Structure formats: structure tokens, C-alpha cells
Amino acid sequence: MVKPKAEPIFEEPEFDERQYLEGEKERAKTMIVTFVIGAFLGLFAGYIYVLGYGYLDILLIFVFIIFIKQILKGLGLTLPKRTWHWVLVGGEFLLTVIIFWTIFINPPITTVSSIQISGLQYENLSSGSWISPAVTSNINILGIPGSYHMRVYVNYNSPISNVSVTAASVSSAPLSVGYQHYDSITHYEYFNLSPISSATIYTVTITAIADNNVSSSANFMIEAGSS
């Protein structure tokens, strides 16, 4: 009696090279689109952060992470069928967002540092030139030889909306701050101080506010009648 041929325990399916290549092509397309979306989202989130709305950029990134599957599906892309493929897509998306967000909020593109307030100068009334005062014998005190027309450099990566100037002395009456004007082209705040008493030390405080609500202030100690 002839024994029946034994059936194979496992039969390896035939490898479809075309189907495999098509699948890899679609997966690569999904990864590329995910990278592009993450890059644009990272840059936009960085822009929102620079504007002073840090909580919004976090919320925006969180929303995109939740709906990334629906976004990719809406773009007509083939969604990953395996769990580890989704891990790759999600990891790539989040990493891309963080990288481009970091790039946007750092130099040379932008900076989130405080407003720059520096370079206090006084006007030479005879020549009309602006002079940086020298430090007097007292450390950190600038000598202003009888001039009260002054300016200070105020600049930031976001437009400046307001600059205010106050001046006072411990030993005498506060100075009256007259004309004040911020030139957005030269980035100088121009102001007048009066009356200035000779050999008196004053503290001039400059406070600046940018359009994104970032504010900063700086103090300059001046000694009238010194050079």
C-alpha cells in the first residue's frame, strides 16, 4: 500500500518584489511628508514663541501629534500598518519639530534674549556730534560735561513699542525728563534732562517694551560737570 505524501508543515509565501518596492516607496513618501510637516510646524511654533505666546506653541504641537494620523490620511498617504512603523513616524515628527523650533529661536535667525540697552551718549552742542562719556574716577560713573541732550541705543529682534526715561539723585531733586523720542531706524532713544547740578551723581533708568510684551531696563550713573 502506497503511503500518502506528507504535507509540509510550513509553506513560505512567494516573495512579491514589486509589491515590496511599492510598499517601501509609499513608506518613504510618508516619512518625507512627515518631515516637511514637522519642519514647518517647528518654525511656526518658534515664531509664536518669539512673539511671547509660549503656551500656544506647546498646544499647537500637542494638537498636531494627536491628529498626525488624520493629517497624513487626509493627504492621501499610505498609513503604516505595523506598530514600529508608527513609532518611526511619530519619533521623526517630534524630533523634527524640536530641531526646527530650536533653530528658529536661536541666532542667527532670532534670539529670545533681553532687549539691548547700551551706548549712552551726550551731544556736543557746539559741533552737534554725539560723544560716549568717559568713566570718571568713580567706577561705573559716566562723566557728562554740562550737557543734557542725550541718547541711548535700544534694539531688539522684535519692534520696540515704548521706551521711557527717568532720572533721579539721592542728594538732590529729581531730574525733569523733557523731550523723548525713539528712532526705529537708528534704534536710539533721544531725551533731554534738566536741570543738572554740577558734581552731582544721577541715576538714569531706561525701560523698553517690545511689541511681543518683552520688557527690559538698564541703569546708567552719570556725574554732571565731569569729563
Side-chain angles (χ1 to χ4, degrees):
M1 180 177 181
V2 179
K3 293 183 179 180
K5 184 183 293 186
E7 294 292 332
I9 298 176
F10 172 76
E11 185 175 347
E12 184 177 354
E14 183 180 352
F15 178 71
D16 190 333
E17 183 178 359
R18 182 177 179 180
Q19 183 180 3
Y20 172 78
L21 292 176
E22 287 293 331
E24 289 299 303
K25 181 180 178 181
E26 290 298 320
R27 191 155 66 93
K29 187 188 298 185
T30 301
M31 297 294 285
I32 292 173
V33 174
T34 301
F35 175 83
V36 173
I37 295 174
F40 276 104
L41 177 61
L43 293 174
F44 185 66
Y47 175 73
I48 294 176
Y49 181 83
V50 170
L51 291 179
Y53 303 103
Y55 59 94
L56 284 180
D57 69 335
I58 297 176
L59 179 61
L60 182 63
I61 293 172
F62 184 71
V63 169
F64 265 78
I65 291 175
I66 293 177
F67 293 101
I68 187 63
K69 183 176 181 179
Q70 287 76 8
I71 294 172
L72 295 176
K73 186 177 181 180
L75 294 174
L77 298 172
T78 302
L79 301 180
K81 296 180 176 60
R82 298 181 180 179
T83 303
W84 73 273
H85 285 173
W86 271 117
V87 173
L88 289 178
V89 171
E92 179 200 29
F93 178 74
L94 185 59
L95 184 61
T96 303
V97 171
I98 294 174
I99 290 175
F100 279 85
W101 178 85
T102 305
I103 290 174
F104 188 89
I105 67 172
N106 284 281
I109 297 179
T110 188
T111 177
V112 292
S113 61
S114 60
I115 300 172
Q116 180 183 359
I117 304 175
S118 61
L120 182 71
Q121 296 178 324
Y122 65 89
E123 184 182 15
N124 186 317
L125 298 181
S126 59
S127 64
S129 60
W130 291 94
I131 302 172
S132 298
V135 177
T136 67
S137 56
N138 295 315
I139 299 176
N140 296 328
I141 298 178
L142 306 176
I144 308 297
S147 174
Y148 59 87
H149 301 291
M150 307 182 73
R151 72 178 186 179
V152 65
Y153 185 75
V154 180
N155 194 19
Y156 190 54
N157 61 307
S158 183
I160 300 294
S161 59
N162 182 64
V163 181
S164 61
V165 183
T166 59
S169 171
V170 176
S171 58
S172 62
L175 286 176
S176 173
V177 181
Y179 170 81
Q180 295 186 55
H181 171 69
Y182 178 71
D183 191 328
S184 59
I185 298 177
T186 63
H187 304 293
Y188 275 102
E189 166 73 7
Y190 295 87
F191 58 95
N192 295 341
L193 299 178
S194 64
I196 293 181
S197 301
S198 298
T200 303
I201 297 175
Y202 297 93
T203 299
V204 179
T205 302
I206 313 294
T207 302
I209 303 175
D211 283 352
N212 61 357
N213 295 323
V214 172
S215 62
S216 185
S217 62
N219 294 324
F220 298 91
M221 298 184 69
I222 63 172
E223 184 176 359
S226 298
S227 59

